[in-house]
């Protein structure tokens, strides 16, 4: 039915605040809680964090507005939305490649994202078990040394079948909500889980602040050492900014497609970006004191949240309860993002092949489960498999890390470069002026960022990130 694609009958967010909650839910997720502290830890702390904030303000925010405005104008799945903007601007419909790449990238992210979602479920189980075995007053291993705890815990990362099973459960929950639709499923998740998430985050941050290592954390996160700002660190910070804001992979074009005409996109974009950045910083302030206080290493990379932190909880008073609440909170944030990730390719399939929503979502989820299982097993059974090992940046990396690096360091920046050129140079000026909700000097500044700063900075960072030796 052709009508179902028109703005009039398509499913929409039920209100402006529903859109904001869902978009903040999409942005705030494992990217803020797991990936941001891990990347900051692996890339030297302060220099990474400050460059990350600059990327959010000068590149992320203008691109976020560009994506939502393409989506809102197009009122369709991402590639079709780009084609509609192109056709209104008498430009080539082939610009839809920027969204096509995005749909593929969102699918790749979804597949490893749900692996991490599975780790979250696993630890929810571990802490529930701890409460049953040792009550709520203590951590399961309170008073024992980090090494002793390490020896006691079963290692999730060695357990392939457990990881794949948990991955399946997390993906199935995601699938359930996406199959129910935009206003009847995705919105419901955001409506309940985002407020609960914020309350838990603030509570746990306060708890961590009393743990003692707060000033050490502030030093670590905000001391700027310019010599640490190398090309790869800049690219990592940029990739993190895009990952965290759900940019460069057609995510915000897709969500923008369900936004009504009356919503001011500039204002909502600013709210989304601020909330997301605030949560990333709070997550850092919440995690590192706990890690420092337990005397554990910060440079643990991806293991920070799923190996280091659980041990820290298990050594603290009330650690089992706080640990449980912590991972429930992470699970809420993860789910509001995984539904967004699944929605991107699902919306595309509905639009492209006219398959009904539940079936489209099932097909995408089945594909993501297949890749996800391979990603999960790359930590154990398949640890010797280095799929893109012949490319220097992926040398020695397993499938999980390749999926993550490929999307954050290639797909996202390239998608963003194309978006900036498309919106800044190709799309019709009147259309853009009408959609973006900006006036006067702010409008000109935004246009300057999208036309000049974003493409140039993105190309520059991509080059120094991939070829760090180039300017030595
Ligand atoms: N922003 C999400 C997070 O921080 C992850 C993410 C990346 C995403 N790209 C996306 C979510 C696209 C939805 C759509 O966890």
């Amino acid at each position: 039915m052709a009508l179902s694609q028109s703005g009039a009958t398509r499913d929409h967010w039920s209100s402006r605040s529903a859109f904001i909650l869902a978009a903040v839910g999409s942005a705030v997720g494992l990217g803020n809680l797991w990936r941001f502290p891990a990347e900051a830890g692996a890339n030297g702390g302060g220099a990474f964090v400050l460059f990350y904030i600059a990327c959010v303000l000068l590149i992320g925010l203008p691109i976020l507005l560009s994506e939502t405005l393409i989506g809102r104008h197009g009122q369709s799945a991402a590639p079709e939305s780009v084609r509609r903007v192109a056709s209104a601007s008498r430009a080539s419909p082939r610009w839809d490649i920027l969204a096509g790449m995005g749909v593929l990238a969102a699918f790749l992210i979804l597949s490893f994202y749900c692996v991490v979602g599975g780790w979250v479920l696993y630890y929810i189980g571990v802490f529930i078990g701890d409460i049953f075995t040792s009550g709520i007053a203590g951590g399961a291993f309170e008073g024992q040394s980090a090494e002793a705890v390490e020896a006691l815990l079963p290692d999730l990362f060695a357990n392939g079948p457990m990881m794949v099973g948990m991955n399946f459960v997390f993906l199935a929950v995601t699938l359930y909500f996406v199959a129910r639709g935009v206003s009847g499923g995705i919105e419901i998740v955001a409506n309940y889980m985002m407020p609960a998430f914020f309350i838990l985050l603030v509570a746990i941050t306060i708890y961590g602040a009393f743990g003692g290592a707060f000033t050490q954390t502030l030093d670590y996160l905000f001391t700027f050492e310019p010599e640490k700002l190398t090309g790869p660190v800049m690219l990592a910070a940029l990739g993190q900014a895009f990952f965290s804001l759900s940019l460069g992979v057609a995510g915000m074009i897709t969500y923008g497609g369900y936004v009504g005409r009356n919503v001011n996109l500039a204002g909502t974009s600013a709210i989304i970006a601020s909330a997301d950045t605030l949560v990333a910083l709070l997550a850092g302030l919440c995690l590192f004191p706990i890690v420092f206080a337990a005397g554990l290493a910060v440079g643990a990379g991806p293991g920070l949240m799923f190996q280091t932190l659980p041990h820290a909880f298990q050594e603290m008073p009330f650690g089992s309860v706080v640990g449980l609440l912590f991972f429930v909170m992470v699970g809420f944030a993860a789910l509001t993002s995984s539904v967004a990730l699944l929605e991107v390719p699902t919306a595309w399939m509905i639009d492209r092949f006219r398959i009904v929503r539940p079936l489209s979502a099932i097909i995408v989820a089945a594909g993501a489960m297949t890749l996800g299982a391979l990603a999960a097993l790359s930590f154990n059974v398949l640890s010797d498999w280095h799929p893109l090992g012949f490319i220097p940046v992926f040398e020695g990396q397993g499938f999980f890390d390749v999926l993550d690096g490929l999307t954050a360091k290639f797909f996202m920046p390239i998608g963003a470069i194309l978006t900036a050129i498309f919106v800044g140079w190709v799309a019709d000026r009147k259309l853009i002026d009408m959609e973006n909700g900006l006036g006067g000097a702010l409008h000109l500044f935004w246009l300057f960022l999208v036309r000049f700063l974003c493409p140039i900075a993105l190309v520059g960072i991509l080059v120094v990130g991939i070829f760090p030796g180039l300017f030595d």
Side-chain angles (χ1 to χ4, degrees):
M1 183 173 80
L3 245 188
S4 71
Q5 293 308 311
S6 79
T9 53
R10 207 167 176 254
D11 200 357
H12 273 73
W13 307 114
S14 56
S15 64
R16 172 171 183 262
S17 57
F19 165 57
I20 294 178
L21 268 184
V24 170
S26 154
V28 170
L30 294 167
N32 309 58
L33 302 167
W34 158 70
R35 205 173 181 282
F36 175 76
E39 288 282 301
N43 288 291
F48 174 91
V49 173
L50 294 173
F51 193 75
Y52 164 82
I53 293 174
C55 287
V56 169
L57 288 176
L58 294 174
I59 305 177
L61 192 50
I63 299 285
L64 176 59
L65 177 53
S66 305
E67 287 203 13
T68 45
L69 85 76
I70 294 174
R72 203 261 295 274
H73 183 83
Q75 296 288 311
S76 309
E80 175 63 17
S81 284
V82 173
R83 285 194 291 276
R84 289 187 183 186
V85 174
S87 111
S89 316
R90 289 196 208 83
S92 161
R94 286 285 71 91
W95 278 97
D96 66 358
I97 183 77
L98 76 90
M101 279 174 54
V103 171
L104 173 63
F107 169 72
L108 297 177
I109 298 173
L110 173 70
S111 59
F112 77 85
Y113 204 86
C114 291
V115 173
V116 184
W119 302 346
V120 176
L121 292 182
Y122 172 82
Y123 278 108
I124 290 177
V126 167
F127 284 107
I128 291 177
D130 283 357
I131 292 174
F132 275 111
T133 52
S134 41
I136 59 166
F141 307 108
E142 194 185 344
Q144 303 197 28
S145 74
E147 293 74 34
V149 173
E150 198 121 12
L152 285 168
L153 273 176
D155 186 6
L156 168 65
F157 287 81
N159 192 343
M162 174 66 91
M163 273 207 201
V164 175
M166 289 292 152
N167 177 3
F168 181 83
V169 176
F170 188 84
L171 190 55
V173 176
T174 304
L175 173 60
Y176 171 78
F177 287 107
V178 171
R180 302 195 51 157
V182 174
S183 55
I186 296 177
E187 205 177 292
I188 312 277
V189 177
N191 238 316
Y192 289 101
M193 293 192 178
M194 284 321 284
F197 165 82
F198 276 104
I199 294 169
L200 286 170
L201 179 65
V202 171
I204 297 173
T205 308
I206 295 172
Y207 170 87
F210 284 109
F214 208 62
T215 41
Q216 196 182 348
T217 300
L218 290 179
D219 277 352
Y220 178 72
L221 285 178
F222 299 110
T223 307
F224 182 59
E225 295 158 281
E227 72 281 1
K228 286 198 177 163
L229 199 61
T230 62
V233 168
M234 287 196 266
L235 182 56
L238 177 75
Q240 174 58 26
F242 281 130
F243 188 93
S244 194
L245 292 170
S246 307
L247 295 180
V249 299
M252 288 298 172
I253 304 183
T254 304
Y255 267 23
Y258 306 119
V259 176
R261 293 272 159 230
N262 51 343
V263 173
N264 178 315
L265 294 179
T268 43
S269 299
I271 295 174
I272 297 165
S274 337
D276 185 67
T277 307
L278 191 76
V279 172
L281 296 177
L282 270 181
L285 294 179
C286 165
L287 247 114
F288 286 112
I290 298 172
V291 174
F292 284 133
L296 300 162
V298 290
L304 189 62
M305 176 180 282
F306 296 102
Q307 288 171 317
T308 314
L309 197 68
H311 297 187
F313 281 130
Q314 285 172 318
E315 292 164 43
M316 296 185 325
F318 296 101
S320 305
V321 176
V322 181
L324 175 62
L325 292 177
F326 179 85
F327 280 100
V328 167
M329 163 188 99
V330 178
F332 285 170
L335 194 65
T336 55
S337 299
S338 63
V339 294
L341 283 164
L342 178 54
E343 177 63 16
V344 175
T346 300
W348 171 74
M349 283 201 73
I350 298 171
D351 190 83
R352 174 76 180 70
F353 301 107
R354 305 285 143 124
I355 305 175
V356 291
R357 168 174 286 275
L359 185 60
S360 302
I362 290 173
I363 295 172
V364 177
M369 186 62 224
T370 312
L371 290 189
L374 293 174
L377 296 177
S378 72
F379 291 96
N380 34 73
V381 187
L382 298 175
S383 62
D384 288 331
W385 181 41
H386 309 302
L388 295 180
F390 54 92
I391 302 172
V393 268
F394 294 118
E395 210 180 293
Q397 294 192 358
F399 190 56
F400 181 97
D401 291 330
V402 167
L403 285 176
D404 178 298
L406 198 61
T407 46
K409 292 180 177 160
F410 291 92
F411 276 99
M412 291 182 189
I414 293 171
I417 291 170
L418 294 176
T419 305
I421 297 175
F422 180 66
V423 169
W425 297 95
V426 177
D428 179 54
R429 272 294 295 278
K430 276 210 262 345
L431 184 160
I432 300 293
D433 294 356
M434 210 173 63
E435 291 280 359
N436 72 6
L438 283 169
L442 221 48
H443 178 77
L444 290 178
F445 185 56
W446 174 75
L447 213 53
F448 163 76
L449 293 177
V450 172
R451 289 191 142 185
F452 299 101
L453 187 103
C454 291
I456 294 171
L458 283 165
V459 172
I461 297 171
L462 203 53
V463 170
V464 295
I466 298 172
F467 308 104
L470 206 58
F471 300 101
D472 292 351

